[in-house]
Amino acid sequence: MSVPVTIRDVARAANVSAATVSRTFVRPEIVDASTRERVLGAAARLDYRPNRAAQTLITGLTGNIGIVVPDLTNPFFPSVVRGVQNQAAELGYPALLVDTGEDADRESELVTRLARQVDGLVLCAARMSDQDLIAHQRQCPIVLINRQVPGLPAVTFDNEGGVRQEVTHLKALGHQRIGYVAGPGTSYSSRVRQRAVTAHLATAGLTEVPVGSFAPSFEGGRSAAEKVLLADITAVMVYNDVMALGLINQLAQYGISVPNDLTVIGFDDIEFASMSNPALTTVRIPREQAGAQAMSYLHALMTTTGSVPEPPAQLRTELIFRGTSVRAPLNQRSAE
Amino acid sequence: MSVPVTIRDVARAANVSAATVSRTFVRPEIVDASTRERVLGAAARLDYRPNRAAQTLITGLTGNIGIVVPDLTNPFFPSVVRGVQNQAAELGYPALLVDTGEDADRESELVTRLARQVDGLVLCAARMSDQDLIAHQRQCPIVLINRQVPGLPAVTFDNEGGVRQEVTHLKALGHQRIGYVAGPGTSYSSRVRQRAVTAHLATAGLTEVPVGSFAPSFEGGRSAAEKVLLADITAVMVYNDVMALGLINQLAQYGISVPNDLTVIGFDDIEFASMSNPALTTVRIPREQAGAQAMSYLHALMTTTGSVPEPPAQLRTELIFRGTSVRAPLNQRSAE
DNA sequence: TACAGTAATGATTACGTTTTCATCCAAGCG
DNA sequence: CGCTTGGATGAAAACGTAATCATTACTGTA
């Protein structure tokens, strides 16, 4: 807006060359203490701030990182974003956040556009194809969250362990016939969880009763209600919390009360899982931690030249036993 | 990463000067159709994309806009952000989103840093002082959402109208003694709503029973429960939905059932207001629309030189009558 | 036919930095 | 005392683009 003060203005005020001013900021240790002080003083007095565009032009570094999420209104993502942003701030990077609206093509296009304006990218639950992802990786360092692609670094959650805990929990409560309300088959974690459910129920000697695939929304959960009612089960595991809450809500319309008439378990532990009544039994996923870890690793990728650092580990999940899961009714309880 | 292709590479490939290539992109109409096609072809073949930093350096325009929010995990903001981002995308701008963590100082600092990297800024529920806000305005065009400062363009909600509808609703239901659970006094909209509550209850001839100020969180709502119980009221208006849900949750611990024993009304109409059981009666605020409108106005501000366009209007609010409000018990009903 | 006017293009400069290269001076050493 | 070494600094080039200015060719008119 007002008068832009450049490095030369500072140089003139401090009675040095522009190069020295630049050095004062970039590598302070190689400029004499007295001149350094003089430059810093002049810069402060003139309220000088370096022009980012000029720096970027010559160094090739933007000093920004980018975050891409499918849908900010999905309660899963804000905490991931917060984790990334906090860590990014810690490292001195502002974070460019983009919402793709769950559209794979738009996602790919936005990543292309973003790649030029950032030094690195964190992609949450990326929807695009493996090939596209790999192609983008050559434009700019990328770290994935909650998605696995061969060759790309990723922070993932131990979905499988979470499901195992769910199954153990249900078995301990004496449930035998257990329904599973799946998310969309196009979703990576939905596929992973579905597979784990089948595997663990089998090894636990329990009966899996597939209820079907539904949209990962409150409405999606609602629309699963009738099929759940017809399934002849005492407990149901749901792909995620939002769907579980929708399911419970709709079941109430049918006069079915949770947990008295049916045990329900969600997944994710979103904020509202603990606020609903009864509070939802679910599997906690360290979302904020995932964001922070992805950012840390991205930073390592961006700074270390050549040698690739240790890839991030899989994050632990944890069953949170709350109010929507209870012991199976006596007459339908499994032998223990 | 790979080989950066510059405007000169395209120029050579298309057998024209760099200037012509630039013109082809910036002002296509002034270059001959045949050469234009040749340039475009060469650019596409080489996968040329202009260097944003170089453009910024010379034009002074970044092509980005910024959004600042106090807390992304607060369900109020994601939809505002989405509104801004959609509109921004429509206008061809990527949006740089920053979360300030509810910290006024950090907010101010982030705005300063951001100002250099964007062409305009949307500030949601800004926490910093009026003076700081005004100071920042000279660095970069700013549009406020949900905050009013003399001299700054702002998109605001008709809080007052919303409160009026609440009061009318409660009066129609026959309530007489009505509690108000306020938010923090430091919050702009909290102050506005508190004032409106007092005014409208008075003109409606109803009795206001102040319950006190609490944190605008689920926990804050919970901690208001005891005072609500002691207030001898049949209905309570709460500063926002999250608090209202917390209040209802804690009341249940005391054996108080909503709406049978007490009518509760929230404010904001967050997603979960309709998902809770019973669904929350509340005042809907067009958050996404606010974001879109702020972005539109910001764009107008950025493009029109000199003459200031019409400032955005106040957005209409609407009472949503759901399950937590019912007719007052007969013995305590007001004369009608 | 000559000339003004205009459309299209090329050459050049400017944007604000970082970085390379050159310069200067003082200190250390034989 | 002369030469080398190295630390501190300045001069200048470079980054990739947009904009200004200059040049060319062409069109229409008197």
Side-chain angles (χ1 to χ4, degrees), chain B:
Chain B
M1 278 321 217
S2 50
V3 270
V5 30
T6 80
I7 206 172
R8 278 183 238 279
D9 299 326
V10 178
R12 202 171 319 117
N15 203 24
V16 295
S17 76
T20 299
V21 177
S22 173
R23 275 188 284 257
T24 305
F25 288 103
V26 182
R27 303 178 54 194
E29 69 277 7
I30 69 165
V31 14
D32 190 81
S34 68
T35 59
R36 191 193 319 154
E37 219 159 306
R38 196 147 35 92
V39 170
L40 257 24
R45 196 152 11 93
L46 299 178
D47 192 28
Y48 164 76
R49 259 158 303 161
N51 181 314
R52 209 50 173 279
Q55 293 180 315
T56 299
L57 183 56
I58 194 162
T59 61
L61 265 32
T62 65
N64 296 324
I65 66 104
I67 317 173
V68 179
V69 299
D71 177 10
L72 257 186
T73 57
N74 179 334
F76 185 90
F77 296 112
S79 23
V80 177
V81 170
R82 163 161 286 203
V84 175
Q85 286 209 326
N86 283 347
Q87 189 63 25
E90 196 86 12
L91 298 166
Y93 288 89
L96 241 140
L97 171 57
V98 180
D99 182 327
T100 67
E102 295 278 1
D103 182 328
D105 293 337
R106 192 171 166 206
E107 181 180 75
S108 189
E109 189 203 320
L110 281 170
V111 167
T112 301
R113 201 179 297 194
L114 220 55
R116 303 289 301 250
Q117 306 189 51
V118 300
D119 298 337
L121 229 33
V122 175
L123 267 46
C124 302
R127 305 299 195 218
M128 73 182 90
S129 71
D130 284 17
Q131 293 91 326
D132 284 355
L133 238 20
I134 290 168
H136 285 308
Q137 191 195 22
R138 273 176 304 132
Q139 303 187 8
C140 149
I142 289 181
V143 173
L144 264 30
I145 293 182
N146 202 26
R147 163 90 182 252
Q148 222 147 6
V149 173
L152 289 203
V155 174
T156 56
F157 303 105
D158 184 14
N159 283 297
E160 213 246 342
V163 170
R164 179 168 26 77
Q165 291 175 67
E166 288 185 282
V167 170
T168 305
H169 177 67
L170 290 175
K171 186 168 187 182
L173 289 174
H175 294 276
Q176 171 58 247
R177 289 179 53 84
I178 295 170
Y180 183 66
V181 175
T186 55
S187 153
Y188 169 78
S189 42
S190 179
R191 289 196 303 273
V192 172
R193 289 177 197 170
Q194 168 71 76
R195 218 177 310 138
V197 164
T198 303
H200 281 113
L201 282 177
T203 60
L206 303 181
T207 309
E208 176 184 3
V209 183
V211 176
S213 265
F214 300 87
S217 60
F218 193 79
E219 276 312 316
R222 276 183 120 132
S223 57
E226 294 204 339
K227 295 209 170 155
V228 167
L229 284 176
L230 294 169
D232 184 29
I233 53 183
T234 59
V236 59
M237 297 156 67
V238 185
Y239 167 58
N240 73 19
D241 286 351
V242 178
M243 290 175 76
L245 293 173
L247 172 62
I248 292 171
N249 187 284
Q250 185 68 6
L251 286 176
Q253 305 285 318
Y254 284 93
I256 304 296
S257 131
V258 171
N260 294 342
D261 302 329
L262 184 72
T263 280
V264 176
I265 308 189
F267 212 107
D268 287 352
D269 190 28
I270 62 175
E271 269 77 14
F272 266 91
S274 64
M275 305 185 187
S276 73
N277 198 352
L280 187 65
T281 294
T282 186
V283 174
R284 173 172 299 164
I285 285 186
R287 302 195 289 284
E288 194 160 334
Q289 190 189 340
Q293 202 147 323
M295 183 60 223
S296 294
Y297 188 72
L298 180 60
H299 186 244
L301 228 46
M302 283 159 33
T303 51
T304 54
T305 50
S307 73
V308 194
E310 196 69 18
Q314 212 177 39
L315 263 34
R316 191 162 301 161
T317 55
E318 179 193 2
L319 183 101
I320 308 291
F321 184 9
R322 286 198 275 243
T324 57
S325 57
V326 296
R327 201 141 171 75
L330 240 183
N331 57 337
Q332 297 180 50
R333 200 172 293 167
S334 65
E336 282 161 87

Side-chain angles (χ1 to χ4, degrees), chain A residues 123-180:
Chain A
L123 267 46
C124 301
R127 306 300 196 216
M128 73 181 91
S129 70
D130 285 16
Q131 293 92 328
D132 284 355
L133 238 19
I134 290 169
H136 284 308
Q137 191 196 23
R138 273 176 303 132
Q139 304 186 9
C140 150
I142 290 181
V143 173
L144 265 30
I145 292 182
N146 203 25
R147 162 91 183 250
Q148 223 147 6
V149 174
L152 288 204
V155 174
T156 56
F157 302 105
D158 183 15
N159 283 295
E160 213 246 341
V163 170
R164 178 165 31 77
Q165 292 176 65
E166 288 186 283
V167 170
T168 304
H169 179 66
L170 289 176
K171 185 166 187 184
L173 290 174
H175 293 276
Q176 171 59 247
R177 289 180 52 85
I178 295 169
Y180 184 65

